[in-house]
Amino acid sequence: MENRYKKLAGNTVIFAVSNFSSKLLSLFIRPFLTHALEEVESVGITQITSQCANLMIPLVSLGVSFAVIRFGLDKRNDRRQVFTGGFVSILLGFFLLCLCWPLLQKVPIFRDYAGLLYIYVLVSCLRTLCTQFIRSRQLNRLVAVDGILCTFATLMFYILFLVVWPMGPAGYLLAIICGDGVSTLFVFTIASCGRYLRFSRFNFPLWRAMMAYALPMIPAQISFWIINASDLFFVAYMMGDKGTYWSGLLGIGYFLPTILTTLGTIFYEAWQLSAVTERAGRERFFSRVFGIYQSLIFCCAAGIILLCRPMMFLFRKNFYDAWQFVPFLTLATAFSCFNQFLNSIYVVEKRSTLSLYTMLAGGVANCFLNYYFIGAWGPNGATAASFLSYLLVFLLRAINTRGLLRVDFSTLRLSLNTLMLLCEIALMLYAPPYWQLWCTLITAGVVAFNIRGVWQMALRFLRRA
């Protein structure tokens, strides 16, 4: 029974190694971009174009990455059929994207970078297919090595295309393409993925089952994208001539919340393996892990909010004002991590349609909130809209997962933690007298309130690792 904690701890360490280098790069690439590109508007273009690609990726992949790991972990399925089905899905999705070329050429921001965006999307889909497939085979150490390799390669390409050959936003996209391409070739070769790619073994009934599981994930991913990235587009559109400037600052505002995203991704990649494979005493297992997880997330969130102003000195001077977006984006990211945890229940029960409904509700709410909040409060309204949208998704998932798995969310602790962070955010944004002292005291209070559970679980993992 207790071995499940050892397995979760071990997988978390491995995925931490895999993700640490890549997420460290994503953390520090934003300060690097401000120095390499200099102008806020140029950074805004890189953020918008990369988010365009992120929107197209789930459409092209047909959401198959979720199916590959879920069906690949099921020992009853032939992995050759799973991998071949995933590859066929990406080819089909990319063919459909090619048919849309004339239509997409009419979009101004897309027209300037169309070729690079197409390659970006295809290479990203293939890399995700390969990495998810080796996760399903539980080649976790290879995942760690690949993460380090991809990070190093991408960093070298950033330097090449942004410093040695200053290519602007196009160089930014090209560096990501080349980094993902190196990673894809490495994993495909080392993991011998070629021997699993057998078109003669294509299993239509299995592929249809994979698509039935994966397709509802597409609007769910798009809804996630709407909550996470549509802020940039609303700000760019609604702020008129200064739209690109403000979207550039908002994109930089995601810098510090990326720390939470990193923590959540590392944990979730390990957690989904345990969530699917561990069957006995699931409710107690899920409840205990979530209790510790939320404590860790809230401690980190409080610290990020406290340090958001001094950390902005890492950027060029003209980017300092981006600090004002950090507090609410941090709280929004915290609830995004919780939503990801609850999504593991849908993965376990193969109820992807529920993931769709909850994220769709959050996406629709985000569009309405962005429109009204940005109109009323300017660019800052977008961050409050993100938080409220993720909070809505969390509440919906907390309710509808009760019929699948009754997880104890430690509601009182969750509510008090959220209230303390909201107080810290208000003090940070309105800056009353002695706000630095009050924010420090609140951060210390959040840590004191949560540290016991984190420490106990850390000791538990260390004893069994």
Side-chain angles (χ1 to χ4, degrees), residues 1 4 24 31 82 145 156 158 173 193-194 218 254 291 353 415:
M1 179 73 71
R4 66 180 63 185
L24 190 65
V82 172
V145 174
M156 293 299 101
Y158 275 136
L173 295 174
C193 292
I218 298 176
Y254 282 97
T353 52
S415 300

Side-chain angles (χ1 to χ4, degrees), residues 28-41:
F28 290 102
I29 193 57
R30 285 189 174 90
F32 172 75
L33 284 176
T34 65
H35 292 279
L37 298 175
E38 298 185 1
E39 297 299 326
V40 176
E41 288 79 4

Side-chain angles (χ1 to χ4, degrees), residues 213-235:
Y213 176 80
L215 288 177
M217 294 293 191
I218 298 176
Q221 281 187 287
I222 292 174
S223 298
F224 176 80
W225 178 91
I226 290 173
I227 300 174
N228 195 48
S230 67
D231 302 353
L232 294 170
F233 294 87
F234 271 95
V235 168

Side-chain angles (χ1 to χ4, degrees), residues 96 181 183 193 318 421:
L96 296 175
S183 169
C193 292
N318 53 336
L421 289 193

